[in-house]
Amino acid sequence: MTNFTYRIIGFGENEHGLFNQLNWALNISSASETYSDLLHDPEMNGVVMIRVNHEEWEVILECGTENYSVVCGPLGNFKVVKASKLVMV
């Protein structure tokens, strides 16, 4: 049996720069509720939902992620960062 957990990250920008609001859930129902709440929060520019299974993970829902990327640190900590700009020479 596979035991997934979910990370839900709302993100936005304010006078201090980019911020991430980190949340987690043990089931898809709770994760979906948190995703919906963040999606309708006027302080958020976007939101992502990540399904995690040990060392594997995937973004399963996202909104407002144009020009942003989801990254995972060495300790399994996720965050949204501004995407690198592609420069054509």
Side-chain angles (χ1 to χ4, degrees):
M1 182 173 149
T2 304
N3 291 323
F4 293 113
T5 58
Y6 299 87
R7 309 298 190 275
I8 309 91
I9 305 172
F11 61 93
E13 294 190 47
N14 60 23
E15 65 275 3
H16 303 291
L18 180 65
F19 68 89
N20 284 247
Q21 181 178 332
L22 309 174
N23 300 273
W24 64 274
L26 294 175
N27 59 58
I28 190 69
S29 178
S30 295
S32 296
E33 184 176 330
T34 301
Y35 182 91
S36 179
D37 290 345
L38 291 170
L39 188 61
H40 294 96
D41 185 334
E43 293 183 5
M44 300 298 158
N45 290 357
V47 61
V48 296
M49 183 188 302
I50 305 162
R51 180 172 50 206
V52 181
N53 181 26
H54 299 288
E55 296 171 3
E56 298 176 358
W57 61 276
E58 67 178 314
V59 176
I60 57 173
L61 282 175
E62 59 185 311
C63 181
T65 55
E66 300 80 18
N67 302 316
Y68 295 94
S69 297
V70 177
V71 296
C72 181
L75 300 175
N77 50 336
F78 294 92
K79 65 181 176 179
V80 174
V81 297
K82 288 186 179 182
S84 301
K85 298 217 185 253
L86 180 62
V87 177
M88 301 297 281
V89 182

